[in-house]
Amino acid sequence: KATKEHPVRMYYYDFDDNDKKEQLITYYLGNKEIPFSNKDELLKQLPGMKKKYLYAEDFAKASLQEQFGKEKLREADLLSADFFDNVVLINEGNWKFTLKSLPWQAQLAPYRDAIVVNANNDSRPDILLAGNFDHSNIQMGKYNADMGTLLINKGNGNFACENLNGLTLRGEVRHIRKIKSGNKEILILARNNDSVKVIRLN
């Protein structure tokens, strides 16, 4: 989670004075800003910290300013993010868009592609989402909770999540394309390091 009061930040600076800049990503736990990486991961990039913090407990108790230096943090290039929801943008016309967070069922994985479908034969466009990401570090694990998410358009910018009828989309979907076969629509889903998935829409 990230908010305006407690954003996720990235500091870009040469923290160990070796003429190479490092990326330090932080987030808030309660009201304390802490590194996203654990001590072991940081030591791979900043081995000099090993002398400063022999024990994990000492590292955990130290503030970010104590760990990396108040002046260095102040001088670092800084990027911040305070909103991570998966959303749709509702086009209100005249270049005005309304940001709408998707239901919680559509917040469980990163999506890489989406396509408009007619899932229930009404006049409102529905959306098929697909994604997942399996290559995070071992401490974070895989982001692969999505098995194919169908957003049913309820009107007025509201969507409800439904499972695909009897279908499970496993793997890291990267692209979805729609083709015609006679009077049927077919979806082609390209998956990272996996076979192509083909879905025929009834």
Side-chain angles (χ1 to χ4, degrees):
K1 293 276 186 177
T3 64
K4 290 182 179 179
E5 295 77 22
H6 293 146
V8 170
R9 294 191 174 111
M10 184 176 79
Y11 298 85
Y12 186 54
Y13 193 77
D14 180 14
F15 289 104
D16 56 358
D17 302 314
N18 67 348
D19 295 324
K20 292 181 180 178
K21 291 186 176 183
E22 293 84 30
Q23 300 167 1
L24 171 64
I25 297 175
T26 68
Y27 71 106
Y28 279 85
L29 189 61
N31 290 317
K32 183 180 181 182
E33 187 179 10
I34 63 174
F36 184 77
S37 299
N38 63 27
K39 179 173 175 278
D40 290 338
E41 287 184 301
L42 286 170
L43 290 180
K44 292 175 186 175
Q45 188 69 36
L46 304 167
M49 291 185 71
K50 187 179 290 187
K51 296 178 182 178
K52 189 175 181 181
Y53 297 105
L54 293 176
Y55 303 104
E57 182 181 6
D58 296 333
F59 176 80
K61 288 180 178 178
S63 68
L64 195 72
Q65 289 72 25
E66 291 169 335
Q67 291 167 346
F68 298 96
K70 187 182 295 185
E71 288 300 319
K72 290 182 177 180
L73 290 171
R74 186 181 296 122
E75 293 174 7
D77 293 325
L78 180 62
L79 298 171
S80 65
D82 57 29
F83 188 79
F84 286 149
D85 283 8
N86 292 323
V87 302
V88 291
L89 292 171
I90 308 299
N91 189 348
E92 308 289 355
N94 297 319
W95 294 100
K96 181 182 177 184
F97 293 86
T98 301
L99 198 70
K100 191 91 173 184
S101 292
L102 296 179
W104 70 265
Q105 298 96 328
Q107 304 293 345
L108 303 178
Y111 293 108
R112 296 304 179 95
D113 208 353
I115 195 164
V116 173
V117 296
N118 183 6
N120 54 1
N121 293 318
D122 62 12
S123 60
R124 295 186 291 261
D126 308 305
I127 302 173
L128 174 64
L129 301 171
N132 292 327
F133 184 73
D134 288 349
H135 303 287
S136 300
N137 61 29
I138 194 168
Q139 287 86 357
M140 296 306 299
K142 297 179 179 182
Y143 295 100
N144 62 356
D146 181 69
M147 301 297 176
T149 299
L150 190 59
L151 298 176
I152 300 298
N153 192 335
K154 298 296 185 180
N156 297 318
N158 296 308
F159 290 86
C161 282
E162 291 190 9
N163 294 325
L164 300 177
N165 185 21
L167 182 65
T168 299
L169 297 180
R170 297 189 183 277
E172 298 176 283
V173 177
R174 291 294 170 264
H175 299 288
I176 310 173
R177 294 295 181 267
K178 188 187 296 183
I179 63 173
K180 282 275 190 179
S181 177
N183 61 347
K184 296 286 186 181
E185 286 187 338
I186 294 177
L187 300 181
I188 309 293
L189 292 85
R191 297 183 291 177
N192 189 35
N193 294 323
D194 205 339
S195 59
V196 169
K197 189 86 172 178
V198 179
I199 303 172
R200 186 174 67 182
L201 300 178
N202 293 322

